[in-house]
């Protein structure tokens, strides 16, 4: 049985998000982008592990610690040639997918639908996103700078050895990572999603600890990371 509940795919209709649309003329067409997958090398027949990162404060940290010096092998762009996500090859077994910080999450389901040919060839999918701790709905909030919650598909219990508490109701997950997890569940693929809840809007040496723990559990080679001067890291350097 899957650990998540209800529908986690982000709504497609802009009506859920834009109040000003109520004043728009009835029947006015809404822009719906088309997405295109571009491989820069031959597409692998199988991918052992795909790590999907979504969330602005996670991007640079993940690229530096996991994907440093890795090669871009694929990207998905829209019909305006704006990249929605980029895939890097970490090694022969691991690929890293970074969702653009500028991607409009209203179109998450369309992006995931375009990526299904890639996702169907993945043996183990790990999704990572984040939320501010103020969005965590629970009477008992851990008194720590950051913490993880997880959701897994029915066949995803062995994707990662790091076991965190399941995300409690009525918390929700949305965006590309939620769409990927839903697709994996529908197709009976092994997948897990981790949500990092953080008490600030910037990673520091304390709030980054759960991510480091997770990356270690994924058996990935971690690179030394120095984030001085980076917008998301405001308390000096972090070395692993």
């Amino acid at each position: 049985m899957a650990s998540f509940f209800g529908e986690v795919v982000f709504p497609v209709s802009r009506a859920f998000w834009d109040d000003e649309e109520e004043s728009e003329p009835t029947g006015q067409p809404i822009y719906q982008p088309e997405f295109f997958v571009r491989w820069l090398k031959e597409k692998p027949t199988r991918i052992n592990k795909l790590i999907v990162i979504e969330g602005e404060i996670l991007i640079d940290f993940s690229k530096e610690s996991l994907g440093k010096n890795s090669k871009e092998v694929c990207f998905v762009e829209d019909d305006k040639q704006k990249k929605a996500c980029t895939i890097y090859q970490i090694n022969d077994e691991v690929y890293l997918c970074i969702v653009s910080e500028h991607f409009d999450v209203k179109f998450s389901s369309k992006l995931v639908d375009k990526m299904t040919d890639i996702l169907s060839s993945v043996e183990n999918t790990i999704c990572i996103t984040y939320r501010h701790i103020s969005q965590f709905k629970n009477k008992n909030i851990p008194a720590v700078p950051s913490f993880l919650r997880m959701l897994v598909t029915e066949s995803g219990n062995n994707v990662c050895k790091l076991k965190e508490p399941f995300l409690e109701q009525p918390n929700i997950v949305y965006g590309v990572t939620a769409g990927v997890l839903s697709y994996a569940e529908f197709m009976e693929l092994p997948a897990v999603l981790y949500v990092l809840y953080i008490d600030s809007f910037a990673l520091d040496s304390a709030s980054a600890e759960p991510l480091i723990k997770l990356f270690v559990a994924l058996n990935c080679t971690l690179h030394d990371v120095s984030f001085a001067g980076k917008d998301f890291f405001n308390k000096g350097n972090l070395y692993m």
Side-chain angles (χ1 to χ4, degrees):
M1 181 177 179
S3 69
F4 55 90
F5 39 85
E7 179 59 62
V8 294
V9 178
F10 208 77
V12 175
S13 173
R14 290 170 58 91
F16 286 96
W17 307 104
D18 298 324
D19 294 336
E20 62 269 20
E21 282 193 345
E22 295 180 1
S23 61
E24 292 181 357
T26 303
Q28 180 176 343
I30 298 174
Y31 170 67
Q32 293 286 334
E34 294 295 327
F35 294 103
F36 305 91
V37 178
R38 312 291 190 193
W39 281 93
L40 305 178
K41 56 172 288 184
E42 184 178 355
K43 177 183 176 295
T45 55
R46 295 296 297 170
I47 295 176
N48 179 269
K49 188 180 299 180
L50 177 67
I51 303 172
V52 183
I53 302 292
E54 182 177 25
E56 184 176 2
I57 70 170
L58 305 180
I59 293 176
D60 283 350
F61 181 86
S62 301
K63 289 174 68 175
E64 289 285 340
S65 60
L66 291 179
K68 192 173 184 179
N69 302 321
S70 61
K71 295 182 179 180
E72 178 182 340
V73 295
C74 178
F75 61 88
V76 183
E77 64 178 1
D78 63 18
D79 44 16
K80 295 182 179 180
Q81 296 185 319
K82 293 182 179 180
K83 289 185 179 180
C85 65
T86 304
I87 298 177
Y88 302 87
Q89 183 174 4
I90 306 303
N91 54 47
D92 291 340
E93 300 292 322
V94 181
Y95 287 73
L96 176 66
C97 176
I98 301 290
V99 180
S100 171
E101 60 189 275
H102 304 296
F103 176 70
D104 190 337
V105 292
K106 290 192 292 290
F107 305 121
S108 295
S109 60
K110 287 181 66 74
L111 175 60
V112 173
D113 184 62
K114 195 63 181 182
M115 295 175 63
T116 53
D117 184 54
I118 299 173
L119 299 174
S120 62
S121 65
V122 177
E123 295 180 9
N124 298 281
T125 301
I126 302 93
C127 299
I128 307 172
T129 186
Y130 86 98
R131 296 287 180 269
H132 190 268
I133 202 168
S134 62
Q135 296 178 276
F136 184 64
K137 296 177 175 61
N138 193 285
K139 293 182 179 179
N140 300 312
I141 300 178
V144 292
S146 64
F147 58 90
L148 291 170
R149 289 293 185 267
M150 65 182 292
L151 298 170
V152 299
T153 62
E154 185 172 1
S155 59
N157 289 310
N158 297 320
V159 170
C160 180
K161 60 185 178 182
L162 179 64
K163 305 301 180 184
E164 296 288 345
F166 290 131
L167 184 63
E168 301 94 333
Q169 297 187 45
N171 295 286
I172 62 171
V173 182
Y174 56 83
V176 176
T177 47
V180 170
L181 188 71
S182 288
Y183 173 79
E185 174 64 18
F186 181 75
M187 298 301 295
E188 300 181 348
L189 300 172
V192 58
L193 185 150
Y194 292 92
V195 184
L196 177 73
Y197 283 94
I198 181 172
D199 66 359
S200 68
F201 294 97
L203 283 176
D204 57 28
S205 56
S207 59
E209 286 184 1
L211 285 180
I212 298 174
K213 181 181 177 182
L214 173 56
F215 292 161
V216 170
L218 292 173
N219 296 322
C220 294
T221 300
L222 299 181
H223 300 275
D224 291 339
V225 181
S226 174
F227 292 109
K230 297 289 180 67
D231 291 339
F232 64 90
F233 192 89
N234 58 8
K235 296 185 180 179
N237 296 334
L238 170 65
Y239 297 96
M240 296 186 293

